Amino acid sequence: MTETLRSPATTGRNWWPLVAGVAALVVAFAIFARIRTDWLWYTSIGFRTVFTTRLATSVVLFVVFAVVMAALVAANLLLAQRLRPRVRSAEPSQLLDRFGDIMDLRRVSSVVIPAVVLGLMAGVSAASQVDTFLAWRRGTSFGLNDPYFNRDVSFYVFDYPWYRYVLGFLMTAFVVSTLVAAVAHFAMGALRSYRVVPSENGQPRLIRQGAPMGSAAQVHISVLMAIVLVIYGLSNLLDRYGFSMTDNSLFTGINYTDDNSRVIAKLVMAAISFICAGLFAANVWLRRWRIPLISLVLMLVSSIIIGGIYPAIVQRFNVKPDEPIKERPYIEENIKATRAAFGIEDVKIQDYSAKTTTSAGQLRADAEALPGIRLVDPVIVPPTFEQLQQVRGYYAFPKVLDVDRYTIDGQFTDAVVAARELELEALPDNSWNNLHTVFTHGYGLVAAYGNRWNGDSPAWISGDIPTVGALPEHEPRIYFGERSENFAVVGAPAGTDPVELDTPGGGDQGAEKRNTYDGKGGVAIGNWFTRALYALRFADINLLLSNRVNSESKILYDRQPIERVRKVAPWLTVDSDAYPAVVDGRILWIVDGYTTSGNYPNSTQLDLRTATSDSVADQRMIQLSQPVNYMRNSVKAVVDAADGTVTLYQWDEEDPILRTWMDVYPGTVQPKSKVSAQLLQHLRYPQDLFKVQRQILGRYHVTDANTWYQKSDLWEVPNDPVKGTQQKEPPYYLSVKWPGDDKPIFSQTAVFVPKGRENLGAYLSVNADASSPNYGELRVLKLSDSQQIPGPGQTYNAINTNETVAERLRPFKNQGSAAAEDGNLLTIPVGGGLLYVQPIYTQQQVTSGGYPALRFVVVRFGDQVAIGDTLQEALDKVFEGDSGAVTGEKTATGSGTDQPAPAAPTGAEAVTQQLANAEAAFLRADKALTDGDLGTYGSEIEKARKFVEAAQKASGS
């Protein structure tokens, strides 16, 4: 019997199908694991319709566009093979000869492989257009037509992007089909034939014989070229609308040259394209390439002349010499569209002749607003929160705290708040069990009064572990937060000892207290198959091996509030700052969501990242760089910190983009009426929208086209003088009493300076109180052009060069044991003018436990600058010894309670209080002297002296 021997090479090749099959199975299972776990996540959070709608749409788009591309390529390759010459002449190169052999001998593979590859590429591209397709499919009318084409705005926002993509795809598909067909015809000899003849030196020589192109190939290529030109003509027709969203030399939108030359040029080019297409179609019968090819050259020349040279001539010789008049109606339309698209059309601008002189009692009419001046800087005090409320090293607070409002003792109070979250990098043991099963949640919301300070610490509203204070009783555990980056495995069978660290104390004999998660959030991973899917997703085999994963386990992941909102509402642009609030017994993360577009006709575009950047934004999430010319705060989203539940509320009930997405994903957005009364109190005007509107108002506060064109009244946001960088000054949340109003309103404020100047140009405020009927009202105080009011930079310079201020701060500025740090420079319209207030903090430098403590307050009104231990003291100094108002703040040497000190205490009780304060100041002075801190020693002795004088005054002696 003879045994057939196989060569090693042949045996090796037989392994490739097996290897390829195994690889395909691994990839398929990985894809399945991702899809299945996503389905479980969306199901657990109650947004399954978002996942299924997007997945089904992606699959349909992938299949349809992949099939169309593959079918076109395959059909044209098959047609080229069918139309090949019966006899293929000698080829001019071995490569072409080899390619021709492949086309002849391997007809299936030579067609299937390129068709499949190109089809897959087209399918992947189409699958990424899910949002574009869904918006087009369900687009809602704006009820407003553009002034040039009389098209509803929805055409530009929803329809135009999809039509642009479809035409681009068809152009690509038919151009590729034409190219592959031409290459196939050429390789198989249908585009030329050659004859081999001997030369004089005996070497073979190729000469072309017969017609340059076979008749069948000629028909094929002619038809494809005709289709390409038809699509090109349609693209030109569509491109006319694109001028409404294109930047020109002045603004975004149609200008004089667009309207009178470029739009017409597109129509002409479309007509030329259709004529050229007709000539190529006629070539099916004429079979004369000279005429259609000449038409292509003429079309190219026409494009250069009509689409490029002629508009340039119109712009240079017709528009430029008389640009203000020619562009006036187009500028007016741009102003109108921009103000409408960014929601600033109703901004109220009033002239304000700010006083610069001071007199006693000048602030009496604004007394109610002064207690709302926020002295606690959310950027400065995070280290203070950490030192005094961190409790353990594995807890942390954000780099920038948040400003919110709470009802304390029946009154709205501005508060600085922060969630106490886990800092896993600080764990002494970063084992898998610690990271994923033990340290699973933070604990408690810490809040401090925004306008008070108690001794060496903020005046706490709520804090400590377990949480105590004036905030309503609530669930303190934070399983979902801004620092929750890792997945957590939680849950256990009944009767099992808990393993999750709950609080550092509170257990038996003061030991750590443990907890077992019992919330409704998370995905159950009790069965082995689900655990295997998540082990593959997270590339973590411990999910299969660890005994901590049991039959009742759940996995919590994608736990950051902004990330969760983005996943359930991928059509939203979210604000860069999520902030926590106690609402209805829960800690909720509040996230503002925007509907945006870059296709609002004739509205000026700006870059979202640039518009929202300032000296504080870099310490938070940074917005993506994207062009926008329409923006609405359409959704208020909340994320439950304990169970991760996401709820979306329809905030802007008129926004067509929001209504479109509510139609795409029915039931995912709750009506505005569902917002609870407690939640409404904590909703505020969002920062990123305000920053965008602030930038737009810098130029679009004017409605006169001539003024806009001349740029004679431009405003800009000043750089932050406190940070000493080229970044913009951030807006501030404050309770502001607007001139003429009866009471202060929780607002977001910003200032403008004239372009290229440093004096104050305007003061902007928006009603940020969502419970107010005037929520969102934008108001501007425009300062007189004939009066120079100092801006933030000039004021900061005046403060730092003031002799009295310099003298008080000298111990903290000359490398002493404590250093001074300047807080935010606030601007408030009071007393008929503009008041600047800046808190100044000091921090011990010689110990590791130092933290910023509010020490002084500096005030400027007009040209008067004063520094005091309290805002009250500084105000009284500026306004001739009596500002006429009581700030209600705690002094830096107060008794430690959270209630305001009385303005003018009298009687024995007052004497006792002031002497106690003096004693406390003497004790701090002694400690400072022992530490060698002479600056603090002198300051505390001065405070003690004032308290003794106050005691004498109260006793009547």
Side-chain angles (χ1 to χ4, degrees):
M1 177 178 255
T2 304
E3 183 178 356
T4 304
L5 297 178
R6 298 182 179 178
S7 67
T10 302
T11 304
R13 284 196 298 269
N14 290 339
W15 282 100
W16 282 109
L18 179 60
V19 172
V22 171
L25 287 175
V26 171
V27 171
F29 187 72
I31 294 174
F32 169 76
R34 183 74 188 196
I35 293 174
R36 174 63 179 173
T37 52
D38 278 345
W39 185 86
L40 292 171
W41 187 89
Y42 279 97
T43 300
S44 71
I45 204 172
F47 283 83
R48 186 191 300 174
T49 183
V50 175
F51 175 73
T52 55
T53 300
R54 294 181 66 81
L55 178 62
T57 305
S58 297
V59 171
V60 170
L61 289 176
F62 177 88
V63 171
V64 170
F65 282 80
V67 168
V68 170
M69 175 64 84
L72 284 173
V73 173
N76 283 284
L77 282 174
L78 287 172
L79 187 58
Q81 288 183 349
R82 183 179 293 273
L83 299 177
R84 72 188 185 282
R86 294 185 178 181
V87 178
R88 181 158 54 91
S89 305
E91 302 298 338
S93 72
Q94 291 183 355
L95 179 61
L96 284 174
D97 189 58
R98 177 60 178 160
F99 187 64
D101 290 340
I102 293 174
M103 295 292 293
D104 282 336
L105 300 176
R106 300 183 179 180
R107 296 182 185 179
V108 175
S109 60
S110 63
V111 170
V112 172
I113 292 176
V116 169
V117 171
L118 292 170
L120 290 175
M121 293 172 62
V124 170
S125 173
S128 67
Q129 300 297 315
V130 171
D131 291 332
T132 305
F133 172 79
L134 290 173
W136 167 76
R137 182 72 178 83
R138 299 288 187 178
T140 302
S141 171
F142 276 67
L144 177 68
N145 289 2
D146 80 286
Y148 303 110
F149 299 104
N150 200 32
R151 289 273 192 171
D152 191 275
V153 173
S154 62
F155 169 81
Y156 299 90
V157 175
F158 303 126
D159 300 340
Y160 178 83
W162 178 246
Y163 294 153
R164 181 79 270 161
Y165 177 78
V166 171
L167 283 177
F169 165 78
L170 291 176
M171 176 64 76
T172 301
F174 278 98
V175 167
V176 168
S177 297
T178 303
L179 292 175
V180 297
V183 170
H185 283 304
F186 187 75
M188 292 184 294
L191 297 187
R192 78 285 172 277
S193 60
Y194 291 89
R195 179 166 58 90
V196 181
V197 298
S199 63
E200 296 179 354
N201 59 6
Q203 297 295 324
R205 182 164 61 92
L206 291 172
I207 64 172
R208 191 175 65 189
Q209 65 178 13
M213 179 181 291
S215 59
Q218 185 170 240
V219 170
H220 188 192
I221 299 300
S222 296
V223 171
L224 288 175
M225 284 299 298
I227 296 174
V228 168
L229 288 167
V230 168
I231 297 172
Y232 180 68
L234 294 174
S235 296
N236 275 282
L237 291 177
L238 186 64
D239 286 345
R240 295 176 302 151
Y241 304 107
F243 290 118
S244 297
M245 292 86 74
T246 302
D247 284 336
N248 54 57
S249 58
L250 287 177
F251 49 79
T252 303
I254 291 180
N255 63 4
Y256 180 93
T257 304
D258 293 333
D259 194 23
N260 292 275
S261 64
R262 293 192 179 98
V263 171
I264 298 172
K266 289 294 182 181
L267 284 171
V268 173
M269 287 307 303
I272 293 175
S273 300
F274 295 145
I275 292 172
C276 290
L279 292 175
F280 273 95
N283 197 49
V284 171
W285 295 276
L286 298 176
R287 298 176 186 176
R288 293 288 187 271
W289 280 100
R290 182 173 301 173
I291 294 177
L293 289 177
I294 290 175
S295 72
L296 280 182
V297 175
L298 292 176
M299 186 179 73
L300 178 62
V301 173
S302 300
S303 176
I304 296 172
I305 295 174
I306 300 174
I309 297 176
Y310 176 65
I313 292 174
V314 171
Q315 180 69 27
R316 177 64 185 85
F317 296 102
N318 189 11
V319 177
K320 211 66 177 174
D322 204 15
E323 193 170 49
I325 296 176
K326 291 289 176 61
E327 298 289 9
R328 181 182 178 87
Y330 302 97
I331 293 174
E332 289 174 347
E333 291 297 339
N334 171 257
I335 293 174
K336 180 180 178 182
T338 301
R339 289 169 63 90
F342 288 102
I344 62 171
E345 68 268 41
D346 295 326
V347 62
K348 297 180 179 179
I349 300 178
Q350 67 182 81
D351 293 330
Y352 190 60
S353 298
K355 294 181 180 179
T356 56
T357 58
T358 60
S359 60
Q362 190 167 341
L363 301 184
R364 187 167 287 111
D366 299 308
E368 191 178 355
L370 296 178
I373 296 177
R374 180 177 47 74
L375 300 177
V376 179
D377 187 343
V379 178
I380 301 294
V381 298
T384 306
F385 271 53
E386 290 203 352
Q387 286 294 329
L388 302 180
Q389 288 291 333
Q390 187 179 27
V391 182
R392 292 290 187 273
Y394 45 76
Y395 289 124
F397 295 98
K399 294 180 180 179
V400 180
L401 308 187
D402 291 297
V403 177
D404 197 3
R405 296 162 301 144
Y406 285 91
T407 302
I408 307 296
D409 296 331
Q411 293 185 341
F412 271 131
T413 300
D414 291 356
V416 176
V417 300
R420 186 188 290 107
E421 296 192 60
L422 288 173
E423 180 71 31
L424 295 180
E425 291 79 5
L427 292 179
D429 179 9
N430 288 326
S431 66
W432 188 89
N433 281 323
N434 275 348
L435 290 175
H436 298 290
T437 67
V438 177
F439 293 90
T440 57
H441 60 279
Y443 197 96
L445 185 71
V446 178
Y449 288 95
N451 63 334
R452 306 181 193 176
W453 197 266
N454 251 359
D456 292 329
S457 72
W460 302 111
I461 297 175
S462 182
D464 299 332
I465 297 179
T467 305
V468 295
L471 292 186
E473 186 176 345
H474 58 276
E475 167 59 60
R477 297 177 181 88
I478 302 173
Y479 282 89
F480 298 83
E482 292 178 306
R483 291 176 176 267
S484 303
E485 298 178 356
N486 287 357
F487 68 83
V489 177
V490 297
T496 305
D497 291 336
V499 297
E500 300 172 44
L501 176 70
D502 197 35
T503 60
D508 294 338
Q509 298 180 348
E512 296 172 339
K513 183 180 179 182
R514 302 280 171 165
N515 180 63
T516 298
Y517 179 79
D518 59 357
K520 60 182 180 180
V523 178
I525 54 173
N527 66 75
W528 181 90
F529 183 68
T530 304
R531 289 203 297 272
L533 294 178
Y534 277 103
L536 180 60
R537 175 177 182 135
F538 293 113
D540 194 334
I541 193 64
N542 289 306
L543 287 170
L544 287 173
L545 302 179
S546 175
N547 290 329
R548 292 286 176 87
V549 186
N550 53 68
S551 60
E552 299 297 323
S553 289
K554 289 184 174 182
I555 186 168
L556 312 179
Y557 63 101
D558 292 339
R559 296 195 286 159
Q560 294 172 307
I562 287 178
E563 181 182 20
R564 293 178 79 78
V565 174
R566 279 177 171 168
K567 288 193 67 172
V568 302
W571 41 275
L572 278 179
T573 298
V574 298
D575 194 86
S576 56
D577 181 32
Y579 60 99
V582 174
V583 178
D584 299 321
R586 314 283 292 185
I587 297 178
L588 300 181
W589 293 97
I590 300 175
V591 183
D592 284 285
Y594 308 111
T595 47
T596 61
S597 176
N599 289 335
Y600 194 97
N602 304 300
S603 171
T604 289
Q605 288 185 346
L606 52 77
D607 181 75
L608 186 59
R609 172 180 288 183
T610 302
T612 57
S613 295
D614 56 39
S615 61
V616 176
D618 290 345
Q619 301 179 58
R620 293 188 170 118
M621 183 196 78
I622 300 176
Q623 286 286 4
L624 297 176
S625 180
Q626 58 174 314
V628 296
N629 63 359
Y630 174 91
M631 191 172 186
R632 291 288 187 273
N633 178 209
S634 55
V635 170
K636 298 288 188 181
V638 296
V639 179
D640 192 297
D643 62 27
T645 301
V646 179
T647 308
L648 308 177
Y649 294 102
Q650 180 186 12
W651 189 247
D652 189 331
E653 296 176 305
E654 303 299 325
D655 178 33
I657 299 182
L658 174 59
R659 285 188 278 128
T660 294
W661 291 113
M662 291 176 67
D663 193 20
V664 172
Y665 304 112
T668 58
V669 181
Q670 303 301 312
K672 188 175 184 178
S673 59
K674 295 292 186 181
V675 176
S676 70
Q678 277 197 30
L679 176 58
L680 191 65
Q681 292 180 6
H682 295 280
L683 299 181
R684 66 188 190 189
Y685 201 80
Q687 295 186 69
D688 287 350
L689 176 60
F690 185 72
K691 292 176 187 178
V692 167
Q693 291 174 323
R694 176 180 67 171
Q695 177 164 323
I696 290 294
L697 276 170
R699 189 169 190 184
Y700 286 88
H701 65 276
V702 300
T703 55
D704 179 73
N706 286 333
T707 304
W708 187 96
Y709 176 82
Q710 294 163 3
K711 301 181 181 180
S712 58
D713 190 17
L714 294 181
W715 301 339
E716 62 182 4
V717 180
N719 292 330
D720 189 348
V722 178
K723 302 302 179 184
T725 66
Q726 295 303 306
Q727 294 177 302
K728 301 172 187 174
E729 184 180 61
Y732 298 114
Y733 286 106
L734 295 168
S735 289
V736 172
K737 184 175 180 292
W738 198 257
D741 284 0
D742 296 330
K743 59 182 181 179
I745 299 171
F746 183 68
S747 307
Q748 193 172 181
T749 66
V751 298
F752 293 104
V753 296
K755 180 72 172 180
R757 302 291 302 278
E758 291 298 329
N759 58 288
L760 203 62
Y763 182 86
L764 170 66
S765 175
V766 64
N767 186 328
D769 182 2
S771 63
S772 167
N774 296 321
Y775 168 83
E777 181 182 48
L778 289 161
R779 296 191 284 187
V780 174
L781 297 176
K782 185 178 181 181
L783 302 179
S784 172
D785 295 330
S786 61
Q787 184 183 24
Q788 293 291 309
I789 304 298
Q794 295 171 330
T795 295
Y796 189 67
N797 180 72
I799 289 173
N800 282 276
T801 57
N802 182 271
E803 292 184 4
T804 304
V805 174
E807 182 65 27
R808 290 294 300 274
L809 298 180
R810 183 168 290 114
F812 308 99
K813 298 282 188 177
N814 296 323
Q815 299 180 349
S817 58
E821 186 173 3
D822 298 331
N824 41 211
L825 183 60
L826 306 176
T827 311
I828 304 102
V830 291
L834 287 161
L835 178 73
Y836 286 98
V837 177
Q838 182 177 40
I840 296 179
Y841 297 78
T842 61
Q843 179 172 344
Q844 188 76 16
Q845 301 293 302
V846 296
T847 63
S848 60
Y851 57 85
L854 180 62
R855 188 61 178 274
F856 306 106
V857 180
V858 182
V859 169
R860 184 186 191 187
F861 190 97
D863 294 328
Q864 301 298 312
V865 178
I867 184 172
D869 293 335
T870 66
L871 175 60
Q872 182 75 61
E873 181 183 343
L875 289 174
D876 288 340
K877 287 181 179 179
V878 166
F879 293 96
E880 300 183 4
D882 178 18
S883 64
V886 178
T887 63
E889 66 190 310
K890 280 301 298 176
T891 67
T893 54
S895 61
T897 66
D898 288 342
Q899 299 301 320
T906 58
E909 182 179 351
V911 172
T912 302
Q913 177 185 339
Q914 297 296 351
L915 291 177
N917 290 342
E919 183 181 4
F922 279 126
L923 291 174
R924 287 193 294 271
D926 290 341
K927 183 178 184 303
L929 183 63
T930 303
D931 295 337
D933 185 359
L934 297 181
T936 300
Y937 172 77
S939 176
E940 294 295 341
I941 289 294
E942 176 65 18
K943 291 178 184 178
R945 182 185 65 79
K946 290 182 179 180
F947 282 125
V948 171
E949 291 178 354
Q952 292 174 343
K953 185 177 180 180
S955 65
S957 59

